Amino acid sequence: MTTQITSQFNIDSWDEEPVSESDDSPKLMRASVSKTFTGDIEGKSILEYLLITYNDNFSRYIGIERIEGTLNGRSGSFILHQEGTFEEGTARADCRIVEDSGTGELEGISGNGTMEATHEQATLTLNCQFG
């Protein structure tokens, strides 16, 4: 059975540094991020992004995030893989729960969903199956 969960999140910290810069190609950046979730997920996460920054208005990124806390009352953690873009002030990503990454009462969790974030609002929506 699939359960849809929706959570809002705040970015607690964002530490970004260049990995490779060139005048004639996009910048390769790395960001270490921490978040706090509320809603169907109550907890915290740590996240590592690799970003390809074309200009101030457009980036592509991949991210690996460990979310720890409770999901619909089940405690544990899981890892989320993200692929997305940042364009015109909005970050959007397709997300999937990494296989065999669930711990505690979230062991066996699987699923996928989306993330969307602006400066005003940030939401993660996942369609989950519990193993």
Side-chain angles (χ1 to χ4, degrees):
M1 182 171 118
T2 300
T3 302
Q4 185 176 71
I5 62 105
T6 302
S7 286
Q8 289 66 49
F9 61 87
N10 291 317
I11 294 175
D12 300 321
S13 69
W14 181 289
D15 297 314
E16 188 173 311
E17 64 184 359
V19 174
S20 176
E21 296 182 271
S22 171
D23 290 338
D24 59 345
S25 67
K27 294 179 190 175
L28 181 58
M29 306 293 287
R30 178 178 167 180
S32 297
V33 180
S34 64
K35 298 180 188 175
T36 300
F37 286 85
T38 58
D40 292 333
I41 298 173
E42 293 284 336
K44 298 212 175 254
S45 76
I46 56 168
L47 166 63
E48 290 291 321
Y49 278 131
L50 286 178
L51 304 100
I52 303 169
T53 302
Y54 295 89
N55 57 51
D56 289 340
N57 295 315
F58 184 74
S59 297
R60 294 185 185 280
Y61 62 88
I62 58 170
I64 300 290
E65 179 172 21
R66 178 184 300 280
I67 300 173
E68 188 166 356
T70 59
L71 190 157
N72 282 353
R74 299 173 188 218
S75 64
S77 68
F78 62 93
I79 297 173
L80 197 62
H81 177 270
Q82 301 179 21
E83 284 189 47
T85 59
F86 173 80
E87 188 170 15
E88 297 179 10
T90 301
R92 291 183 178 87
D94 291 323
C95 306
R96 71 175 170 76
I97 297 170
V98 175
E99 185 177 348
D100 297 325
S101 69
T103 67
E105 294 175 311
L106 298 175
E107 188 173 347
I109 190 172
S110 62
N112 57 50
T114 59
M115 184 276 304
E116 185 169 314
T118 64
H119 288 291
E120 293 79 34
Q121 182 176 345
T123 304
L124 173 65
T125 303
L126 294 172
N127 297 306
C128 301
Q129 297 86 36
F130 297 95

